[in-house]
Amino acid sequence: MQNGTTSGQQVRVEFSTREPDLELPGDVGPMLLKTGTYIAQAFMIHRRQAHPDPVILNMCKSADLRRHELSHLVNSLLTTTDAPTKPTRQPLEFHINNTRLRSSVSQFLSSHPELASPETTLRVEYSRGVVPPQHAASFPHDDCIGAVDVLSARSPAGVSSSGVRAGHERILTGSRDGAVRVWDLSGNVLGSTPEAGPPDEFGCRRMREDGKVPFVDCARFLSPQRVIAGGWWGYMRVWRYSEGDSADGEDNDGQLDGDANHGPPTANSARFTPLLDLRGQIRNVTSISHDPSTSHILSSSTDGTLRLWSTDPTNPSAPTINPNTATKNNNITSSKRLKLQPPSTPSRGALLTLKPPHATLLPNGLTRTPTGLAPSIPAACFTPHDPTVAYAASEDCSLSTWDLTTGQKVHSRTPHPHVRLRTVHPLPWTGSNSVVATGSEGSTGVFVVDLRDSSARGTFEACLGGAKAKSTGLCTDPARPWLVCGASDDGCVRGWDIRGVSGGGGGGGQGGGQGSHAAAAASDYNIYHPSNEKRKIRPVFRIPRRSNPRCDEVPGFEGVGVRGVCWDEAVGIVSGGEDEVLQVDRKG
């Protein structure tokens, strides 16, 4: 049953996909692919019931079976169905046994000789090719952007609420001028919190009499009606956000006012009302993570501690804080002292303070340990599906796992002994809550680490490379969680396909390298060492700043760094930073 002269080998393959609209007909079974130098042929083993005879699909001439030929084959199978609407031909990506196919099938089999047999079935998973996102809009901002978040029907804050309708999505920004702003998709600022005072001769902004401090580095939607912001000098406040004429900002059905009965809001028509002050963190707040199931907040700080908070003002477990006593006990210098808040804004303390063993909190806000001062914690997050466990990235190069029930550190891992960590993000796509991505201080990249390994390092699964400066933010595509997106201080947002990462100590990068469970050699700490070539993952797309497409070539990356990034299924990739521009990019 051959058509034409070929030379090569036959392998049995079985195609599958996780995208329902790309599934092959149910009568398509395993296939034999014959790779050769001239004509590649696909032999259908069987078509159940309707077509008992094998079907031959002749491919175009090719040096070997590559992604283009496999994509043509799958598209041909999709277009031969009896469906009333034929799917559009589109480029596809392929993973063979959890390893991304970058070369030809013959080259893949050469590096995996145990699979080069007709009796062995190759599991070939295909999906839509990753098309680089396209620029959608850019909105000028009044100052450097420190944080971004999105509210939509599919976002974490909106998924449990009916108050976000299509076309009424909102974008939240926290700025270095001390203000939190909410934008619509047309670039209108619907509302903002009070800004900090004007900058002095040294460029530093003074505080206003209402207690608003400058430099908001963390901002998130808690719900369509609540926003939390954090930043310098321990500032953390929950705001009530309202659109329309309602006094409390919430309708009976939980919808935004502008979405329900009052029509689209106009610029500067929304209002922010202080709802709750969270006091206790004296030094700068570096990250905020929210768990909707418990209404808890996890914050990290430069004082080397983590704190667990409740966003419910009536929670009896949260200690009530007297602003006068809190300011006095914080012992902050007069130039940085927080102004007293109006009595109508309640203040609450932390439910739990997590600090290193045998550590002591000093009056100046630092944390002393038996070996010295505790290192800063730039980022922390809840684990997926388990709000009682948290991960924290520290400047002492370690990744820590914390038990939020007991307040104890479970274990600590050091992916690289000489690289400080800046960001952390869980990767449940790999099949385990223990696999995380953590961004580094320099141009080393983003490590993918399995924390289940009991070694001091954890299992080094892969390195997401390409960035030229420190990592400033990580997120994943909601529709394709295997697509990791990272912001960098070099002004670019990059995306990586991590489907080659097994998360069980087995696969790594594009070549399926093994994670090291043994004592690490000197070359293991160098991700650019030839022995680690298989564990490197190159970016599949790069998003520069619209105002400067070559931003990663600016000397010192001055004025181009991206400080916040968020990926939403409805809005797209939202980013902002030192160029004072809010940029939106959508899927191509």
Side-chain angles (χ1 to χ4, degrees), residues 441-461:
E441 173 72 24
S443 60
T444 310
V446 177
F447 297 118
V448 178
V449 183
D450 190 345
L451 300 178
R452 290 174 296 180
D453 186 10
S454 59
S455 66
R457 296 183 63 199
T459 303
F460 172 48
E461 296 288 350

Side-chain angles (χ1 to χ4, degrees), residues 205-520:
R205 291 183 177 270
R206 299 186 179 93
M207 288 183 294
R208 297 169 58 99
E209 292 300 325
D210 58 8
K212 187 70 178 71
V213 300
F215 287 36
V216 175
D217 289 334
C218 315
R220 295 182 66 91
F221 278 109
L222 302 180
S223 70
Q225 297 84 21
R226 293 189 181 184
V227 170
I228 187 170
W232 280 33
W233 309 330
Y235 166 74
M236 289 184 66
R237 175 179 287 181
V238 180
W239 297 85
R240 175 175 289 141
Y241 174 73
S242 58
E243 297 177 1
D245 301 328
S246 176
D248 58 2
E250 296 184 75
D251 292 327
N252 294 331
D253 58 357
Q255 296 180 343
L256 288 175
D257 295 336
D259 293 349
N261 304 318
H262 304 279
T266 59
N268 298 316
S269 63
R271 300 188 307 277
F272 281 89
T273 306
L275 181 65
L276 181 66
D277 283 328
L278 304 178
R279 293 183 177 271
Q281 212 132 27
I282 302 175
R283 294 286 171 168
N284 300 347
V285 179
T286 55
S287 71
I288 293 176
S289 180
H290 176 228
D291 178 60
S293 63
T294 60
S295 299
H296 285 172
I297 292 292
L298 180 68
S299 66
S300 62
S301 173
T302 55
D303 63 8
T305 65
L306 302 175
R307 281 177 168 85
L308 186 68
W309 315 79
S310 174
T311 59
D312 184 4
T314 62
N315 189 343
S317 301
T320 302
I321 301 297
N322 186 332
N324 293 288
T325 306
T327 304
K328 181 179 179 180
N329 291 343
N330 286 348
N331 195 23
I332 307 176
T333 57
S334 59
S335 62
K336 296 182 178 180
R337 181 171 296 136
L338 296 178
K339 305 298 181 181
L340 300 184
Q341 303 302 323
S344 59
T345 304
S347 298
R348 296 290 184 269
L351 299 174
L352 183 66
T353 299
L354 297 88
K355 56 186 179 180
H358 311 293
T360 303
L361 298 178
L362 302 179
N364 61 357
L366 299 177
T367 304
R368 182 185 297 279
T369 64
T371 58
L373 295 179
S376 171
I377 301 180
C381 66
F382 290 103
T383 59
H385 316 301
D386 188 358
T388 63
V389 181
Y391 297 135
S394 175
E395 286 195 350
D396 65 354
C397 312
S398 67
L399 268 174
S400 303
T401 303
W402 292 83
D403 187 341
L404 300 181
T405 304
T406 62
Q408 300 298 318
K409 181 187 293 187
V410 179
H411 57 69
S412 180
R413 304 287 183 256
T414 304
H416 195 297
H418 307 300
V419 176
R420 296 179 178 180
L421 303 179
R422 301 292 304 177
T423 55
V424 62
H425 190 80
L427 301 176
W429 167 264
T430 55
S432 169
N433 288 345
S434 300
V435 180
V436 299
T438 177
S440 64
E441 173 72 24
S443 60
T444 310
V446 177
F447 297 118
V448 178
V449 183
D450 190 345
L451 300 178
R452 290 174 296 180
D453 186 10
S454 59
S455 66
R457 296 183 63 199
T459 303
F460 172 48
E461 296 288 350
C463 178
L464 314 181
K468 300 180 180 179
K470 69 179 181 181
S471 172
T472 57
L474 292 171
C475 58
T476 53
D477 184 353
R480 299 172 293 180
W482 42 261
L483 198 56
V484 179
C485 182
S488 174
D489 221 15
D490 63 5
C492 293
V493 175
R494 295 174 175 85
W496 298 274
D497 187 341
I498 65 167
R499 280 175 293 182
V501 178
S502 67
Q510 299 114 321
Q514 298 290 322
S516 174
H517 290 270

